[in-house]
């Protein structure tokens, strides 16, 4: 890290960055405050909730990829005993979506279906089985339209529009073009140009808990909605919008969520239709998706075709990057506009780059919609970039690790596309994994069928600009301090397993010198908790953490002022630690935290404070650069060691070493768990997972067919935490929940090259793909 | 009062209040040490019986076709996928995560210490699979631990912390070696 005094003005924000852990909580490796409730089955997930008179909703789904709906006959379904009500698309005509410029979705299809599995109608019945049976009695008559299944067809202006209102020449949701520096000049100066195409497959999140919503009408036209969501705030807004209700008349509660990985970022048909039917029927309605339906709901990784051209000097420095990507997005926009930017904007990280150009397209096809999946939009191009770096290193006779290290950006750098980077632990990450894995000694020397590969990456810590423009806090936290010493923390965040409840409890405890268990976190309840934008873009630790510290600072200040009077010292002489407030120079002069809270309440009245966070303005040189800038960036390096069975094509990952710069680790064990979860998901995408289609039909809509790694396929993961103390993060923290996934697939791909001499540019690297490539290579070698 | 003495579910139209009707059967089994007698559909899965009739919601719907392990319970101490088991076919004693006791306490404590549960949706099933493992093999090696977890999908952890917790329990039980040291 550079000297704080030399930092540019945008790199300084008062968040206790780099301060020692006065409270003794920061940086511990410990259990989560909400761990036991989840382990023992006590935690209540949405599907665990039951209300009196509750009925169950089941969707009727499209069987065609692209068609006009001619008629819907529900008479047989409605005649079935136990059926209490139905709803169809035209009852909910308002379009919605998280991204304001791309609200193209309705809760159920209106007039036209755009993918197989799209909801058309919903049946409510006294139990799930009856609803299911009734749904199968619904007859839908269609008039088929030409479906669009491929990137070529989506770009073809002669093909029909999936969204007939679109004014674009073909089925393009968004095209983004950005150019920085002088790309032509950069290539002219290059000693080596590497150019190739890559194809990254679509994949889906598979949270074990399916999407569930439970709605209950209250008196006075009000409604409570429980939803298994990552983003309570956006669900709240969109449900109100579609139902034509005032937001304050809806209470949105997020119970315990059985993971999301990006798959529960959108407001879903479950939320909107459950709320609609509850109002219509005047009784509680639960809609729980089945596993097969989750595959149709999707919002997973965009399949992307990419073309990458990079220029290098002999010393390995990068002279220019030219990148094109076409992302096939399915039938609706979801977060696709953001995807189109994320495909390109992170490429100038983490290597120094002055001349950069990218063009990306996010396209509509007649398949389930793609959306944000862990590492959103940045995963696909990272494979191309990191494989290109290895190709260049080999061509130039350089060590890939040394070449990467030599070209790392320094802390407090502004990239060519205006990303303002504060802390950077990239070199330390590379050094950690290279040393631990023995990369230098093993590369090229492991023998036939064995290989080792390295990759590096960077990711964001929340978006600088909110999804819908406003000057409000992006995260806010409220603290209430009880005379018992219990601190209640209210936050609109949505812990979906990543540990944000613990993060908030720990930061609050650290600041007040108490234990995380002394803090009760109430989160994700729009009537109780102040707004937080949600669990996406790796924003929660950075933004909600900063809001939490801001609120805790105010509470601490009041308690300190009261304690200082009692102890006869200045406020600055006090330490908060071990559930005590004491004089730093004379620890025996102490108050218990509870006594100090009593004194503070006597002096100031009841103790409650709020804190908010929005990134300070760090205006870009580039007006159009509104998607991509983040208040901080995390960095990761990974080494994978693989074995390839040349007879069968089976790839085995022996071990993965991963080092991640998370800024500052709040709970080291939780950080490790996030990193390991990222690597796991990367291993799945590298070797097994693909959202495959036959035409428009999802071909593998079950966990038997869609292969996720079990304990047998998951390699040993050796994890290193690199701490950099970001100047703007809460106590210097950044993120760990997404960034580490970016470099997993390219590290494996580079290891596969080391093992086979072949560049595999199209994951997943399944046995048939690997064997076919090896056979072709052998044949070529034989005929040469 | 036992938690199971809540009123039985409402009977539908045309059903005699005093006995099975249509496809209904009497399920009479031992759940977590208590005798349970309930009228339910012959096609009711053990998972729905536990979750809806007995309100034991620690066992989860993950896939409903036996692919993920989130619904795992013990029947006479042996892991069973309750989503593909009919309530009526169960003869032995059922144990769910709610019925865990001293035998599982070290496993639960190890999972807590190692943060082996992130979202927690798969965890109850995994705890029960491990309970069976340690009953059969108090000091399992890594191969045995992996085999015991092979039918449980966890999407959050990469299994790393789960294995660490499982190894800790094995070590506490006296295992002298594992084939993959920490």
């Amino acid at each position: 890290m550079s000297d704080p005094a030399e930092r540019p003005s945008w790199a300084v924000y008062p968040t206790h960055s780099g301060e020692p852990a006065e409270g003794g909580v920061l940086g511990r490796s410990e259990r989560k405050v909400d761990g036991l409730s989840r382990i023992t089955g006590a935690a209540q997930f949405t599907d665990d909730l039951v209300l009196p008179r509750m009925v169950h909703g089941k969707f009727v789904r499209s069987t065609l990829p692209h068609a006009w709906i001619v008629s819907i006959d529900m008479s047989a379904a409605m005649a079935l005993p136990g059926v209490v009500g139905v709803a169809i698309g035209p009852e909910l005509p308002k379009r919605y979506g998280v991204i304001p410029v791309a609200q193209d979705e309705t809760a159920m299809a209106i007039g036209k279906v755009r993918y197989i599995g799209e909801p058309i109608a919903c049946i409510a019945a006294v139990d799930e089985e009856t609803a299911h049976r009734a749904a199968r009695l619904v007859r839908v008559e269609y008039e088929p339209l030409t479906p669009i299944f491929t990137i070529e067809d989506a770009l073809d202006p002669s093909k029909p529009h999936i969204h007939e209102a679109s004014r674009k020449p073909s089925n393009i949701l968004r095209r983004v073009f950005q150019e920085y520096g002088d790309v032509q000049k950069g290539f002219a100066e290059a000693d080596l140009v590497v150019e190739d195409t890559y194809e990254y497959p679509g994949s889906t999140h598979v949270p074990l808990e399916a999407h569930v919503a439970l709605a209950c009408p209250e008196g006075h036209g009000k409604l409570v909605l429980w939803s298994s969501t990552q983003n309570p705030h956006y669900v709240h807004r969109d449900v109100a919008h579609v139902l034509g209700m005032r937001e304050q008349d809806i209470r949105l509660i997020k119970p315990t969520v059985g993971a999301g990985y990006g798959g529960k970022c959108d407001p879903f048909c479950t939320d909107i239709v459950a709320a609609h039917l509850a109002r219509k029927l005047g009784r509680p309605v639960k809609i729980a998706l089945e596993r097969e339906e989750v595959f149709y709901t999707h919002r997973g990784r965009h399949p992307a075709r990419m073309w990458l051209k990079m220029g290098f000097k002999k010393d390995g420095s990068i002279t220019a990057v030219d990148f094109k990507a076409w992302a096939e997005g399915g039938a609706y926009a979801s977060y696709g506009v953001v995807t189109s930017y994320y495909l390109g904007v992170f490429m100038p990280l983490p290597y120094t780059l002055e001349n950069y150009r990218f063009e990306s397209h996010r396209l509509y096809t007649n398949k389930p919609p793609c959306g944000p999946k862990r590492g959103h939009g940045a995963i696909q191009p990272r494979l191309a970039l990191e494989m290109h770096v290895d190709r260049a290193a080999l061509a130039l006779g350089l060590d890939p690790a040394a070449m990467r290290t030599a070209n790392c950006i320094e802390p407090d750098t502004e990239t060519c596309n205006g990303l303002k980077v504060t802390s950077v632990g990239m070199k330390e990450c590379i050094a950690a994994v290279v040393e631990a894995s023995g990369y230098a000694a093993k590369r090229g020397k492991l023998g036939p069928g064995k290989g080792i590969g390295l990759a590096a990456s960077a990711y964001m810590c929340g978006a600088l600009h909110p999804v819908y423009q406003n000057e409000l806090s992006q995260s806010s936290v409220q603290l209430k301090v009880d005379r018992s010493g219990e601190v209640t923390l209210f936050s609109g965040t949505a812990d979906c397993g990543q540990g944000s409840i613990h993060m908030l409890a720990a930061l609050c405890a650290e600041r007040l010198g108490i234990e995380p268990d002394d803090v009760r976190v109430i989160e994700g309840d729009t009537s109780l908790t102040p707004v937080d934008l949600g669990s996406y873009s790796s924003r929660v630790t950075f933004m909600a953490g900063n809001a939490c510290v801001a609120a805790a600072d105010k509470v601490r200040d009041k308690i300190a002022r009261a304690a200082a009077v009692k102890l006869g010292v200045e406020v600055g002489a006090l330490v908060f630690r071990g559930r005590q407030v004491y004089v730093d120079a004379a620890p025996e002069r102490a108050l218990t935290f509870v006594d100090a809270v009593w004194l503070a309440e006597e002096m100031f009245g009841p103790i409650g404070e709020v804190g908010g966070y929005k990134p300070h303005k760090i205006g870009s040189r580039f007006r159009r650069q509104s998607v991509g800038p983040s208040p901080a960036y995390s960095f990761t390096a990974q080494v994978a060691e693989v074995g390839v069975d040349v007879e069968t094509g089976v790839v085995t990952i022996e071990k993965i070493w991963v080092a991640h710069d998370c800024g500052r680790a709040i709970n080291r064990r939780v950080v490790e768990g996030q990193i390991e979860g990222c690597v796991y998901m990367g291993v799945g995408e590298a070797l097994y997972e693909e959202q495959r289609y036959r035409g428009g039909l999802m071909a593998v809509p079950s966990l038997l067919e869609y292969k996720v790694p079990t304990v047998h396929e998951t390699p040993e993961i050796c994890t290193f935490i690199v701490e950099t103390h970001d100047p703007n993060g809460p106590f210097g923290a950044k993120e760990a929940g997404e960034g580490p996934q970016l470099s997993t697939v390219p590290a494996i791909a580079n290891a596969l090259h080391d093992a086979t001499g072949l560049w595999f540019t199209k994951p997943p690297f399944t046995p048939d793909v690997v064997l076919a490539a090896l056979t072709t290579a052998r044949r070529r070698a034989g005929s040469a | 009062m036992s938690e199971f003495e809540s009123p039985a579910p409402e009977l539908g139209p045309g059903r005699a209040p005093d006995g099975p009707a249509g496809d209904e059967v009497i399920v009479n089994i031992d759940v977590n040490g208590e005798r349970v007698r309930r009228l339910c559909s012959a096609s009711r899965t053990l998972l729905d019986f536990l979750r809806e009739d007995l309100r034991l919601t620690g066992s989860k719907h993950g896939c409903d076709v036996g692919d993920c392990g989130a619904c795992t319970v013990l029947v006479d101490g042996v892991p069973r996928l309750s989503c593909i088991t009919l309530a009526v076919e169960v003869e032995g004693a059922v144990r769910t995560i709610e019925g865990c006791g001293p035998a599982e306490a070290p496993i639960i404590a190890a999972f807590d210490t190692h943060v082996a549960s992130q979202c927690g949706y798969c965890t109850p099933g995994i705890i029960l699979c491990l309970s069976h493992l340690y009953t059969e093999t108090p000091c399992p090696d890594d191969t045995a631990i992996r085999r015991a977890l092979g039918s449980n999908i966890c999407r959050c952890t990469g299994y790393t912390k789960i294995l660490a917790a499982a190894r800790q329990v094995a070590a506490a039980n006296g295992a002298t070696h594992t084939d993959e040291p920490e």
Side-chain angles (χ1 to χ4, degrees), chain A residues 182-215:
Chain A
D182 188 336
V183 173
Q184 233 174 345
K185 183 165 152 277
F187 282 118
E189 289 167 358
D191 298 315
L192 170 75
V193 172
V194 183
E195 183 183 338
D196 203 354
T197 56
Y198 295 82
E199 282 208 34
Y200 202 95
S203 60
T204 199
H205 319 78
V206 193
L208 272 199
E209 180 206 32
H211 307 66
V212 188
L214 167 60

Side-chain angles (χ1 to χ4, degrees), chain A residues 186-256:
Chain A
F187 282 118
E189 289 167 358
D191 298 315
L192 170 75
V193 172
V194 183
E195 183 183 338
D196 203 354
T197 56
Y198 295 82
E199 282 208 34
Y200 202 95
S203 60
T204 199
H205 319 78
V206 193
L208 272 199
E209 180 206 32
H211 307 66
V212 188
L214 167 60
C216 180
E218 293 187 303
H220 315 289
K222 298 190 179 192
L223 183 83
V224 188
L225 177 62
W226 291 263
S227 172
S228 57
T229 178
Q230 294 178 235
N231 295 342
H233 179 62
Y234 296 142
V235 174
H236 190 216
R237 279 170 60 88
D238 273 1
V239 171
H241 163 71
V242 177
L243 266 56
M245 294 175 70
R246 303 189 308 166
E247 280 176 44
Q248 61 264 46
D249 290 340
I250 298 174
R251 178 177 180 190
L252 191 286
I253 301 174
K254 174 216 69 84
T256 307

Side-chain angles (χ1 to χ4, degrees), chain A residues 699-765:
Chain A
V700 288
S702 79
L703 289 176
L704 188 65
E705 300 155 293
Y706 182 93
K707 302 291 184 193
V708 304
T710 71
V711 71
H712 297 302
E713 290 82 31
T714 306
E716 188 186 343
I717 303 166
C718 181
T719 309
F720 301 91
I721 295 173
V722 169
E723 294 191 287
T724 49
H725 296 194
D726 188 80
N728 300 338
F731 287 98
K734 296 195 284 191
E735 73 91 37
E738 297 189 71
Q741 197 184 326
L742 268 65
S743 37
T744 307
V745 180
I748 293 167
N750 286 341
L752 275 176
H753 178 265
D754 192 42
T756 64
L758 302 173
W759 296 108
F760 289 90
T761 57
K762 187 178 182 302
F765 312 124

Side-chain angles (χ1 to χ4, degrees), chain A residues 504-516:
Chain A
L504 292 168
L507 286 178
C508 178
E510 165 64 33
R511 211 56 205 121
L512 300 180
I514 55 179
E515 286 297 308

